[in-house]
Amino acid sequence: MLGFRLLVAAALAVYGCAAQNASLDFPEDFMFGVATAAYQIEGAWNVSGKRESIWDDFTHEHPDWIADGSNGDVACDSYHKLDVDLEMLQDLGVDFYRFSFAWSRILPEGHTDQINPDGISYYNRLIDGLLAAGIQPVATMYHWDLPSPLQDLGGWPNSFTADFFVQYARVLFENFGDRVKWWITFNEPKEVTRGYGENDKAPRINTHGIGEYLSAHTILLAHARTYHMYDEEFRATQQGRVSITLNQDFCIPKDDSEENKDAADRCNQFELGWFAHPIYSQEGDYPEVMRTRIDENSAAEGRPFSRLPYFTSAQVEYIKGTFDFFGLNHYSTRLAEDGLAGENPSRKRDGGYATSFDPSWPTSASDWLVVYPEGIRLIVNWINATYGDVPILITESGFSDLGELNDTGRQDYYREYLRQLSLAINEDGINVIGYTAWSLMDNFEWLDGYTARFGLYYVDFEDDDRPRTAKGSAELYKQIVASHQVPEAESTAAWGW
Ligand code: PNW
């Protein structure tokens, strides 16, 4: 039976190639890439002038907060293994590589009075190596690793942190903007705010209900100022694109009731609209539903002003439209229902919804990640319907397991998610311009340490040399990148969905 199936599949593949050339799953100019982030791969945490970030402090002071007590001191040692990383990227044949700059490698104290030449030269070698291989750099300025001295000044809830960020961004444009044409100011600001509102991100200061909103406010202004600085001083000569990456595991109603439909909408507004509405909507500012609920809750708590800060009308105008594309990280989907969850007060509780998973959805090695391929089609449609026809770049998407080389779960994930994405493009007409697999290789997965693995390449963290080995998913991705088609195959994972 299996033999017969394979024969049929092979015959279809040959026929399919000829017949489908005219209708590829992905347009010819669609871009495929892979992503990493500095703290998760570089290691060399105190080498060549680099100083501490909040993630160095977090992991060093509290190994008990990390699943396996580990940290990013060495990680994949990419600081010393740049050439190996470049070879893997070339082998995959990707159009772009999304990486992040470590702020404290470039500006050891966070401030521009001291620029670290070794930091600049590391990223120059990376960028030049990518360009020599025909791979576009897609650079994230901030992937969660705030220089510790800036946390000592209060971190993101302190509005002056925006000033320091803009100065840092200027150093990046000045040093790398001649060659980097795709810029992402912040990776997942919602997750950054968790460092001030939940217990699962550095710096783990739980000022829930207040700190999250203040951090978001600073980040939105820092993003907008960076965008305008590029417009005014760099765009004419450098001709690149600047945007932000927002993450959302899409919320769908738990059932057809009106309360739960409203709850799902609130979930998407309180999590994605929080950042997307000020930047991408026609009217700008925070979503109305956030403004109303948080103002009301704050008043009921007897506060003289709202826990959700206000933008001036000039700031609303200033933030609106500060994008050249929509960077979206999407992994999973949740069911939303009306109800109160989270600490009092907190963003979660203000939102008035609770989320869960359908028990039939396949799980992963991460407690927040379940497999629901239609979710990616639904969310790009939602973005298009809510914010208009903005080009969407999927800046992360991927699946975690415990580290198999024959990673059938991950292969199924990519096949199914990419099939759904191609339907969004071809059937729904959504303007999706690229897809990024998280991640190039296994790396330091934050609170999960090295236990949950997302890589297309396996990394042996027991070996000082950190050897990398291609998994089955690397072969699959390579094939998809080269053909712009998702191969027909049955799901092979144990769950067989
Ligand atoms: C992203 N969630 O984080 C980050 O950008 C990466 O650094 C990270 O390694 C990757 O996804 C996998 O976790 C997320 O809870 C963290 O929904 C949490 C969630 C989503 C993404």
Side-chain angles (χ1 to χ4, degrees):
M1 181 61 194
L2 184 66
F4 174 71
R5 235 188 236 166
L6 281 176
L7 255 184
V8 172
L12 279 176
V14 172
Y15 171 76
C17 270
Q20 280 179 14
N21 261 349
S23 60
L24 297 175
D25 289 339
F26 293 93
E28 255 170 79
D29 57 357
F30 188 88
M31 306 179 295
F32 286 99
V34 290
T36 60
Y39 185 71
Q40 295 179 273
I41 67 160
E42 284 179 5
W45 71 281
N46 59 353
V47 168
S48 300
K50 180 180 170 297
R51 295 295 301 275
E52 291 86 348
S53 79
I54 53 175
W55 272 95
D56 292 310
D57 295 342
F58 183 91
T59 53
H60 291 160
E61 288 163 21
H62 281 283
D64 51 308
W65 289 344
I66 311 295
D68 52 5
S70 67
N71 54 52
D73 286 5
V74 180
C76 306
D77 204 19
S78 285
Y79 188 72
H80 298 112
K81 304 192 80 63
L82 197 59
D83 294 340
V84 185
D85 291 355
L86 288 168
E87 275 168 33
M88 297 190 303
L89 290 162
Q90 255 180 297
D91 191 52
L92 287 170
V94 286
D95 301 302
F96 66 89
Y97 178 45
R98 176 174 178 239
F99 64 94
S100 81
F101 292 103
W103 189 338
S104 55
R105 193 178 294 291
I106 292 179
L107 308 177
E109 301 292 331
H111 304 280
T112 47
D113 55 335
Q114 199 196 330
I115 298 179
N116 177 23
D118 287 355
I120 300 282
S121 99
Y122 171 66
Y123 295 110
N124 271 334
R125 284 193 290 124
L126 171 60
I127 293 163
D128 291 344
L130 289 171
L131 292 174
I135 300 169
Q136 278 296 313
V138 175
T140 306
M141 297 176 168
Y142 186 77
H143 201 122
W144 307 359
D145 44 357
L146 188 72
S148 301
L150 299 183
Q151 183 52 47
D152 294 341
L153 295 170
W156 292 110
N158 175 3
S159 58
F160 289 99
T161 302
D163 294 342
F164 304 130
F165 179 83
V166 176
Q167 294 315 309
Y168 162 59
R170 173 187 295 283
V171 171
L172 297 183
F173 289 146
E174 281 173 351
N175 281 277
F176 308 111
D178 56 337
R179 289 153 295 151
V180 174
K181 302 301 166 192
W182 291 83
W183 292 100
I184 291 164
T185 53
F186 289 88
N187 177 68
E188 302 189 347
K190 174 176 67 188
E191 302 304 314
V192 176
T193 69
R194 294 174 71 93
Y196 305 91
E198 313 260 350
N199 281 326
D200 62 1
K201 296 264 161 18
R204 209 189 202 240
I205 292 170
N206 196 348
T207 50
H208 51 83
I210 298 173
E212 305 101 305
Y213 297 135
L214 294 181
S215 326
H217 209 71
T218 310
I219 290 172
L220 280 162
L221 285 164
H223 162 79
R225 286 173 58 185
T226 304
Y227 185 91
H228 285 292
M229 173 170 73
Y230 193 76
D231 261 1
E232 285 154 23
E233 299 179 46
F234 299 96
R235 191 183 292 278
T237 51
Q238 299 188 351
Q239 305 273 320
R241 298 170 179 82
V242 180
S243 284
I244 190 166
T245 277
L246 307 178
N247 65 308
Q248 185 64 347
D249 292 338
F250 200 54
C251 279
I252 56 177
K254 191 166 183 180
D255 55 38
D256 274 345
S257 67
E258 286 309 313
E259 306 86 78
N260 291 345
K261 282 186 195 161
D262 286 351
D265 190 54
R266 285 201 302 282
C267 173
N268 292 320
Q269 291 295 350
F270 266 75
E271 299 188 11
L272 182 59
W274 187 12
F275 298 94
H277 201 273
I279 297 172
Y280 293 94
S281 73
Q282 291 294 322
E283 59 273 28
D285 209 343
Y286 293 120
E288 189 54 43
V289 67
M290 289 187 79
R291 172 53 62 210
T292 313
R293 290 180 71 99
I294 303 165
D295 284 4
E296 279 174 13
N297 287 351
S298 303
E301 290 152 15
R303 298 174 195 273
F305 51 83
S306 178
R307 287 184 280 101
L308 182 67
Y310 277 76
F311 291 118
T312 64
S313 46
Q315 286 173 328
V316 169
E317 291 306 312
Y318 185 77
I319 296 170
K320 207 165 75 179
T322 54
F323 65 87
D324 298 318
F325 57 92
F326 195 116
L328 175 72
N329 289 357
H330 175 78
Y331 289 83
S332 189
T333 291
R334 287 166 294 156
L335 298 174
E337 64 191 301
D338 190 48
L340 292 181
E343 293 188 89
N344 192 12
S346 64
R347 192 246 303 153
K348 226 183 234 171
R349 204 173 180 84
D350 288 330
Y353 60 88
T355 61
S356 59
F357 302 122
D358 186 300
S360 71
W361 294 345
T363 55
S364 71
S366 308
D367 56 10
W368 53 271
L369 203 177
V370 298
V371 181
Y372 187 77
E374 294 90 327
I376 198 164
R377 182 177 183 182
L378 292 173
I379 192 172
V380 295
N381 270 278
W382 190 89
I383 289 170
N384 183 276
T386 313
Y387 306 114
D389 194 22
V390 48
I392 301 171
L393 176 62
I394 307 291
T395 41
E396 280 179 33
S397 176
F399 177 83
S400 64
D401 61 18
L402 299 173
E404 290 107 74
L405 282 178
N406 183 21
D407 55 345
T408 52
R410 181 167 300 101
Q411 292 170 50
D412 286 354
Y413 180 99
Y414 282 126
R415 264 198 303 267
E416 298 297 329
Y417 270 65
L418 283 168
R419 243 195 280 279
Q420 290 293 327
L421 193 63
S422 77
L423 292 175
I425 297 169
N426 301 319
E427 304 275 314
D428 311 335
I430 308 297
N431 187 10
V432 184
I433 60 172
Y435 181 86
T436 317
W438 180 274
S439 174
L440 169 62
M441 61 191 146
D442 296 338
N443 56 50
F444 179 76
E445 177 54 18
W446 311 111
L447 287 200
D448 287 334
Y450 298 99
T451 62
R453 290 162 178 261
F454 278 89
L456 298 178
Y457 282 78
Y458 179 87
V459 179
D460 183 355
F461 294 103
E462 301 297 312
D463 187 321
D464 284 349
D465 211 30
R466 299 296 192 270
R468 289 94 153 110
T469 310
K471 302 180 188 176
S473 58
E475 286 309 314
L476 171 69
Y477 200 58
K478 194 169 157 176
Q479 201 183 333
I480 294 173
V481 173
S483 65
H484 280 220
Q485 286 188 318
V486 183
E488 284 299 330
E490 297 202 5
S491 293
T492 44
W495 57 70
W497 35 274

